[in-house]
Structures are given as structure tokens and as C-alpha cells.
Amino acid sequence: MSAASCNNSTPAIRPSAASSAPAGRSDVLARELRLQALSEADRDLIRLLKDPLFSRWKEQIKAIGGCANPIYLSGSTVTHDAVTGEVLSSYSTDGEPGERLAVRCRNRRASVCEPCAYLHAGDTFQLVRAGLSGGKGVPDAVRDRPRLFVTLTAPSFGPVHRVRERDRCRPRRDDPRCEHGRRQGCGLVHTEDDPPVGLPLCPDCYDYVGHVLWHAHAGRLWDRFTTAVRRYLASAGGVPRSKLGEHLVVSFAKVAEFQRRGAIHFHGIVRMDGTDGPASSAPAWATEDVLLDAVEQAAASSFVTVPDSGAYGTERVGWGGQFDAHPIRPVAENDNPSDSAVAGYVAKYVTKGAADTGAGLDYRVTSLEDIRAAVVNRHVRALMGTCWRLGGLAELEHLRLRSWAHALGYRGHILTKSRRYSTTYGALREERADYRKGDTKPTRSADTVTEAAWRYVGSGYTRGEADFALGIAEDIVINRELAREAMDDEKRGWVL
């Protein structure tokens, strides 16, 4: 090639520093435009993945089971020897993501936080079963004590549509009508999913005031029931009521369940022990039959009188006629349930909120507008409205009906138990925490001193964190199901 040809050729273009700057800015702009095209959750997820402490954050969320609404704490804990001052263990959130630690919300409602509800149901199962079969600090001998599974219901406040197996809802002859012109019967065969189930045949005839007032006094009614059981037992044993504790101890545990009609009913466990509680036997005269008579008499005679009011007159609340009581056996026998069946039944219902049964809301309402906007049927809305109306009466102010309108006036705990029935939720959580730490001998003792300083710094997730936590929770559920299937397969193989 000649020099001339070289001179005529197109020279190679080399980008200068001045020309590279616009190109760099274009790349940045293009990247920003791509990020802006992503959803808020995707952008937040990218931020989360780029965080140097992402792995530690993920460990925290796995440790709390993918809790849907974690609580964040900041602080430290130091345990040292009380004599020498030697530090035995210490922990601080200084090195944690955001200098905070995620802990479970511990909400029992599956509709609010399914991971925590699952854990709460498991704790409830252990708590109830320990009082029936022993374990968790309760002697195994409790399975030989007189024990009953009791169901106590609310009375009727008016006929509602109901499910009757392969039978009509409310068959009536001659098609009678109420004073408002509505049919007093229903010839349909309903299924559990039918929208009319639980709704009054005539809303104008339904006693909404009585329903709400019964809910508001259900806790006191249960207290009257337990007192009446002890009074009957004292009479059966020929001892003064004040001296019954010198002969036996009666322990209770109960769970409250919403029916489709929006009324609470109680499933209770009643057990008789000796004067030392679960460690001793009741006297020979305190038999299972005597206990059956006691709960039947108590259910029939217990009542609470509501203060008089010009708005509703005089109300006296008591139990409904659908009373049921069965002895509890170590193994299911005829109509008598087993220890595990009762514990499982109670654990099943303890995680259900009012919204799960269509009988209320899982959040408080603050105005009539909230009640009107609530996604509930007309029957539940009427009950909530009645709570709001009665809550404005001075004579019922102590019932705080407006604060509990979302629960249709019921303000008691879903699960309650006697102190000596079995272990506690706190003890179960402490045992689980020690197990996870691998402590065969916990450091807490009289020879150690623990100094802790913690404060609340927030709760919940960002959009990206919520998606990631949901994935963690779903993985845990899948792994749990796989482990359960593997255990079932192993059992089948063993049987074969």
C-alpha cells in the first residue's frame, strides 16, 4: 500500500475524554430509566439484595418464620457471674442490619400473621395436652383424673338459617308469618357455604340487644359457672365451700369460638385433682359422675343480671339449652374424645379471629362510618351497630362496647385457663428459645445476673422485604409438609 493510499484512508477515531463523558451520562440515564420502569417493590428488592448485610437480614427473618409483621428492637443483653463479674454471654444489635433485631409479632390470628398463628396453635396444643396427658412440668398421672370436655352455648336470640345434615333448615306447616310479615320457616337444605346460614329469618324480630349484652357478660357468666361447679362439689362432698381447697382442686381451660350466627360458645376442659394440684389425686368421693352432675347443675343455674336501663329494660343472661359434656379418655372411646383430639380441637380454634368465621372483624372500628364500610353481612353489621348504640349509654360505659364492636361486644380472651391446669405460654416460649440456642443447661440461675436494655424502634416491612419474607414463609410451609409426608411414609413402611 502506497503512502497516498494511506493518506486517503479514513483515520481511526479515538474517543477523547470530552466525548466519553456524554456516553457515560447516557449509560447512567438509561440505567435510571430502567429502574424507574420497575415497580416500587422490585426497586426495593434490588436495594435489599445489594445491602452488604442482606444475608444476616435473611437469617433474622428465617429465625422468626417469615413473620408477616415483625417488631424491631434495638439494645443489648449481658449475662455475667454474680460473684466474679465474669461475662458469660453478651449480645448487642450494633452489628445487625439497621442496628436492630427482628422478633415475632406473636399475633394469634391466622388472618393477620399465619406463621405466628401456626406457632401459637402449636403452643396451645402443648399447653392443653400437658393438662390432659402430662409433660411440660405436669405429672403424667393427670390422665387418670376425672376430666370432662364441656360445651356451653349462648341462648337463642331469634331463629336463624341453619345447616341440618340432609334435612330442611326450619320446616314449618301452614307457612306461618311473624308480626313483620316474614316467614317463620325455611324449607331449604343449606350447606355450610350458603350465604343465608347464620342470618335471622326476621332481622326485626331478632334480639340484637340481648345478643350484644350476652357477649359483654359472657366472661362473668363463665366465672359464675366455675364457682357453681365448686359449690356443687363442696355440697356433694359434705364440706363447706370455703374448705373445698383442703380436699380437692378444680382446674379449667376454655376456648371461645364464634358460631355462624355471630354468637360465642365455649369449649371447656374441667379436671379434678387433689390438694396438691396435678401431683395428687382427688378424694374417692370426687368421681367422674359427680363431676358430670356438677357441670350440668352449674350450667343450668348460672346467670348474670345486667343493670337496668330505660333503653332495654331488665336483662338476665344465662347459658343456652345446647349443653354437652363428655369424659376425656387417653384413647378415643365411643363418643368420648381422646386427649390429643381435645388438644387439637382447642388449638384449631384458638388461632381463628372473628373475621375467619364471618362473625366480625380483626381490627377495631372507630366510628359508625367504619361499621357501614366493613365487609360483613347485614346481620354482623347490625350487631356492630348495636354495640355502638349501647356503648353510648352511661349505665353501660364500663362494658366498653364501642371499643369491642369489632368482636360484637365480646371482650374476653380466646383462651383462658386456671393457674394450676398446666404450663404457660411464657414457659413454652422460653423452652423453645433455649432449644434454639442449644442450651442444655440455661445460664439463668441464682448465680448469674442479666442486664438488658431494649427499646422499640419500628415494625413491618418495606415492599421488597414483604415479598421476600412471604417467600421465606411459604418455603417453611413447604418444608414442613414434606417432612410430614416423609414421616407418614416412614410410618407406613414400618407398618408394612
Side-chain angles (χ1 to χ4, degrees):
M1 183 180 295
S2 64
S5 63
C6 289
N7 292 334
N8 292 333
S9 61
T10 304
I13 299 176
R14 295 180 181 179
S16 62
S19 63
S20 63
R25 285 197 295 271
S26 298
D27 292 341
V28 172
L29 180 60
R31 186 164 59 251
E32 289 296 328
L33 290 174
R34 287 196 299 271
L35 287 174
Q36 291 177 11
L38 296 174
S39 66
E40 179 184 348
D42 289 338
R43 292 197 300 271
D44 188 54
L45 190 58
I46 292 172
R47 174 201 61 79
L48 182 64
L49 293 171
K50 286 184 176 180
D51 192 319
L53 295 177
F54 167 71
S55 296
R56 175 53 187 158
W57 176 86
K58 187 167 65 172
E59 289 177 5
Q60 284 192 21
I61 304 306
K62 284 184 177 180
I64 61 175
C67 172
N69 188 39
I71 307 298
Y72 296 107
L73 304 176
S74 178
S76 62
T77 299
V78 179
T79 301
H80 55 82
D81 190 289
V83 179
T84 65
E86 177 189 0
V87 175
L88 301 177
S89 63
S90 64
Y91 171 78
S92 172
T93 58
D94 289 346
E96 299 287 0
E99 297 186 356
R100 63 186 189 177
L101 178 69
V103 297
R104 287 180 177 271
C105 69
R106 293 182 182 174
N107 196 298
R108 66 167 183 84
R109 296 181 179 90
S111 60
V112 177
C113 181
E114 192 167 349
C116 288
Y118 177 84
L119 191 66
H120 187 76
D123 285 348
T124 301
F125 179 83
Q126 296 296 336
L127 184 149
V128 174
R129 189 174 65 173
L132 295 173
S133 304
K136 307 298 179 182
V138 181
D140 295 344
V142 292
R143 66 184 58 176
D144 300 322
R145 310 276 190 260
R147 305 164 306 164
L148 301 179
F149 186 53
V150 180
T151 299
L152 297 163
T153 64
S156 172
F157 305 107
V160 299
H161 292 277
R162 57 185 177 174
V163 177
R164 302 178 69 191
E165 188 174 355
R166 279 177 270 179
D167 200 355
R168 290 179 292 171
C169 171
R170 291 187 179 274
R172 299 290 297 271
R173 293 180 181 178
D174 303 326
D175 191 24
R177 305 289 178 120
C178 70
E179 60 181 301
H180 303 100
R182 296 187 177 92
R183 287 186 171 89
Q184 294 181 316
C186 175
L188 300 177
V189 178
H190 295 301
T191 63
E192 291 289 347
D193 298 329
D194 282 351
V197 173
L199 300 184
L201 272 66
C202 176
D204 294 323
C205 292
Y206 194 84
D207 185 9
Y208 283 101
V209 171
H211 189 145
V212 167
L213 291 177
W214 192 91
H215 270 182
H217 293 84
R220 287 182 59 192
L221 186 59
W222 171 262
D223 184 62
R224 297 284 176 87
F225 167 76
T226 59
T227 300
V229 169
R230 293 186 176 97
R231 184 181 295 115
Y232 182 91
L233 290 174
S235 177
V239 299
R241 168 66 182 86
S242 59
K243 302 292 184 181
L244 182 65
E246 299 177 6
H247 298 267
L248 59 84
V249 172
V250 187
S251 294
F252 299 89
K254 72 166 174 62
V255 64
E257 177 194 353
F258 274 98
Q259 296 173 300
R260 288 290 296 274
R261 62 177 174 144
I264 282 284
H265 66 185
F266 294 129
H267 300 290
I269 298 167
V270 187
R271 189 189 72 216
M272 284 195 303
D273 303 312
T275 55
D276 294 330
S280 59
S281 299
W285 59 264
T287 63
E288 187 178 88
D289 290 337
V290 169
L291 185 59
L292 272 168
D293 290 340
V295 297
E296 289 177 2
Q297 293 289 335
S301 61
S302 303
F303 66 91
V304 175
T305 302
V306 182
D308 292 343
S309 171
Y312 54 80
T314 302
E315 289 281 343
R316 172 172 160 168
V317 301
W319 299 111
Q322 293 180 326
F323 169 82
D324 193 23
H326 291 280
I328 302 172
R329 305 294 187 217
V331 179
E333 176 184 296
N334 298 328
D335 292 334
N336 301 323
S338 67
D339 299 346
S340 296
V342 171
Y345 191 84
V346 172
K348 172 185 176 182
Y349 284 103
V350 80
T351 61
K352 288 191 174 183
D356 295 301
T357 56
L361 302 171
D362 285 337
Y363 60 88
R364 295 184 186 274
V365 294
T366 58
S367 65
L368 283 172
E369 287 71 23
D370 287 348
I371 295 176
R372 295 189 188 103
V375 184
V376 294
N377 61 44
R378 63 179 185 273
H379 176 56
V380 172
R381 184 173 287 106
L383 285 167
M384 294 168 66
T386 304
C387 287
W388 197 267
R389 179 167 60 85
L390 295 178
L393 301 177
E395 58 267 36
L396 298 181
E397 185 178 358
H398 64 287
L399 298 178
R400 301 174 59 219
L401 288 173
R402 290 187 173 181
S403 297
W404 293 96
H406 66 292
L408 314 186
Y410 178 70
R411 54 198 175 98
H413 293 288
I414 294 299
L415 177 76
T416 57
K417 72 175 188 67
S418 305
R419 180 177 60 85
R420 303 177 77 172
Y421 173 77
S422 69
T423 185
T424 64
Y425 283 118
L428 292 172
R429 287 194 292 266
E430 188 174 321
E431 181 181 351
R432 183 166 53 249
D434 290 337
Y435 173 80
R436 286 178 175 172
K437 290 188 297 185
D439 292 349
T440 54
K441 295 182 179 180
T443 56
R444 292 179 298 275
S445 69
D447 298 328
T448 62
V449 175
T450 299
E451 298 176 354
W454 293 91
R455 61 188 179 91
Y456 168 83
V457 293
S459 63
Y461 293 115
T462 62
R463 294 287 299 277
E465 290 173 346
D467 289 344
F468 208 96
L470 179 60
I472 290 175
E474 290 174 346
D475 287 344
I476 291 174
V477 172
I478 292 173
N479 291 336
R480 187 187 302 136
E481 292 297 327
L482 291 175
R484 184 179 292 113
E485 290 175 4
M487 291 178 62
D488 291 342
D489 291 342
E490 184 178 350
K491 290 179 181 178
R492 294 189 194 100
W494 177 262
V495 172
L496 293 174

